[in-house]
Amino acid sequence: MAAFFFGLLLFAMQPPPIPSRPAETGDGDWGPPPSPTASSPLALNDTGATSHPNGTFKQLPRIIIIGVRKGGTRALIEMLSLHSAVAAADNEVHFFDWESHFQKGIPWYLSQMPFALPDQLTVEKTPAYFTSSKVPERIHDMNPGIKLLLILRDPTERVLSDYTQVFYNRLQKHKRYQPIESLLVKDGEINLGYKALNRSLYHLHLQNWLRYFPLESIHVVDGDKLIRDPFPEMKRVERFLNLEPQINASNFYFNKTKGFYCLRDHGRERCLHDSKGRAHPHVAPAILHKLYQFFHEPNRKFFELVGRTFNWN
């Protein structure tokens, strides 16, 4: 009991937290966010100078895009930024998955956020969060009522995109690379030691998140549909976040040169970086078939977890 009251005394001595958009209540309003305990890296020990003369300030995110790598997270955050009630962090923060960042504490995390108006929601995206075993508990400790966005693609296509990114990165740095077949298959069987394959076992990672968050707190965005027809998927995201309907079909136009949709906002057009949408390497049909077979059962388990199906081969 004495330790309890001592903890309360320490908490009372903390400086007041930076104003933050509140956590959502059942009626769609947003109430005050929970405060992390003073004994963890999530404690807000030093608020610093985060306010801005124009009335904006930095606030902890009320929305986090948790993954998955090569699932379409950059497209999702760019499209979500079309909404005037959203303020998006520019870079992947890697606060909850990198120990070197996490040990800097919440003040550092807060410093990575954009300046936002009082009625805006701050969002950050770090695709590696989804597959990191320690991240769900850490985010829950910061705010158990946070909204989580998870964008997924066909797991086989995601593996190929994963390889493609690493392939081009090594090519640009004049480093050696392994042919994709040698990574996917070992001794005639699917190579379970290949990290890109593990990232596509969605059900295993989601099970860990569901230990800390109810399914209602996690919205799964269909990354394949977002590529083909982004508007309907973004309307679903708006509804999940209880945002006023604002994103419309005129915000998207198909760029024939790039081969994917670009964005139009108040007369300004922008597309994703040229590194997005790169062609995948050729994979022998027999190996592709083996991949599809491998993911059949993990996909079924994932569909059961989320209560819906996806058009994955």
Side-chain angles (χ1 to χ4, degrees):
M1 182 63 71
F4 172 75
F5 283 106
F6 180 67
L8 287 179
L9 177 61
L10 286 179
F11 180 81
M13 293 172 62
Q14 298 300 318
I18 296 296
S20 180
R21 175 98 178 210
E24 188 189 6
T25 60
D27 58 3
D29 294 329
W30 296 76
S35 300
T37 60
S39 61
S40 75
L42 296 178
L44 189 56
N45 293 319
D46 182 11
T47 60
T50 59
S51 60
H52 193 274
N54 66 1
T56 61
F57 54 87
K58 295 193 175 188
Q59 54 184 338
L60 294 175
R62 307 266 51 86
I63 309 161
I64 297 182
I65 299 173
I66 58 174
V68 64
R69 171 179 159 129
K70 305 312 297 177
T73 58
R74 173 51 57 184
L76 178 57
I77 199 168
E78 290 290 338
M79 293 175 185
L80 190 55
S81 298
L82 292 168
H83 203 289
S84 63
V86 171
D90 291 329
N91 303 310
E92 294 177 6
V93 183
H94 287 282
F95 175 64
F96 296 101
D97 62 323
W98 288 2
E99 289 302 319
S100 59
H101 286 176
F102 187 69
Q103 293 305 318
K104 294 178 181 179
I106 282 289
W108 180 88
Y109 186 46
L110 186 64
S111 73
Q112 306 304 301
M113 297 301 120
F115 282 98
L117 295 168
D119 61 348
Q120 284 185 306
L121 295 171
T122 296
V123 57
E124 74 117 323
K125 74 109 175 169
T126 302
Y129 286 167
F130 181 58
T131 55
S132 175
S133 61
K134 58 198 171 188
V135 168
E137 182 177 13
R138 289 177 170 181
I139 293 181
H140 184 270
D141 286 345
M142 179 188 74
N143 181 3
I146 200 165
K147 294 283 191 177
L148 304 172
L149 294 174
L150 171 63
I151 181 167
L152 301 176
R153 297 173 59 194
D154 181 308
T156 298
E157 290 297 312
R158 200 218 62 78
V159 169
L160 300 181
S161 290
D162 203 319
Y163 172 84
T164 301
Q165 175 172 293
V166 175
F167 169 80
Y168 278 102
N169 286 345
R170 297 189 69 84
L171 203 63
Q172 291 169 0
K173 296 176 182 177
H174 306 288
K175 293 183 177 181
R176 296 182 62 183
Y177 59 88
Q178 290 181 262
I180 189 169
E181 288 84 359
S182 66
L183 293 170
L184 291 174
V185 178
K186 185 176 182 180
D187 299 326
E189 300 296 330
I190 292 296
N191 179 18
L192 300 180
Y194 183 32
K195 289 183 179 180
L197 281 170
N198 178 270
R199 295 187 189 107
S200 281
L201 296 175
Y202 302 146
H203 73 292
L204 292 180
H205 304 297
L206 184 61
Q207 283 173 342
N208 189 36
W209 284 88
L210 293 177
R211 291 173 57 201
Y212 300 94
F213 295 95
L215 187 59
E216 293 74 22
S217 295
I218 307 172
H219 177 67
V220 181
V221 179
D222 190 325
D224 298 306
K225 287 185 177 179
L226 190 77
I227 294 171
R228 294 193 301 268
D229 188 10
F231 178 56
E233 282 301 304
M234 291 311 300
K235 297 309 290 182
R236 295 183 182 96
V237 171
E238 276 186 329
R239 288 193 293 271
F240 170 72
L241 298 175
N242 291 310
L243 294 173
E244 177 185 350
Q246 196 178 97
I247 299 173
N248 57 67
S250 65
N251 289 128
F252 308 98
Y253 70 96
F254 189 78
N255 187 307
K256 293 182 179 179
T257 302
K258 292 183 174 292
F260 52 78
Y261 277 89
C262 296
L263 309 182
R264 184 185 292 114
D265 186 22
H266 295 96
R268 186 170 66 94
E269 297 180 352
R270 67 182 190 272
C271 293
L272 297 179
H273 191 268
D274 289 340
S275 63
K276 307 299 180 181
R278 287 184 294 208
H280 294 167
H282 173 75
V283 181
I287 294 181
L288 276 180
H289 180 68
K290 192 181 290 285
L291 267 181
Y292 291 140
Q293 284 187 318
F294 171 76
F295 282 119
H296 178 76
E297 184 61 16
N299 289 348
R300 185 191 64 78
K301 292 179 179 179
F302 177 76
F303 298 161
E304 286 184 354
L305 279 178
V306 298
R308 57 187 278 209
T309 60
F310 294 79
N311 188 24
W312 297 339
N313 290 316

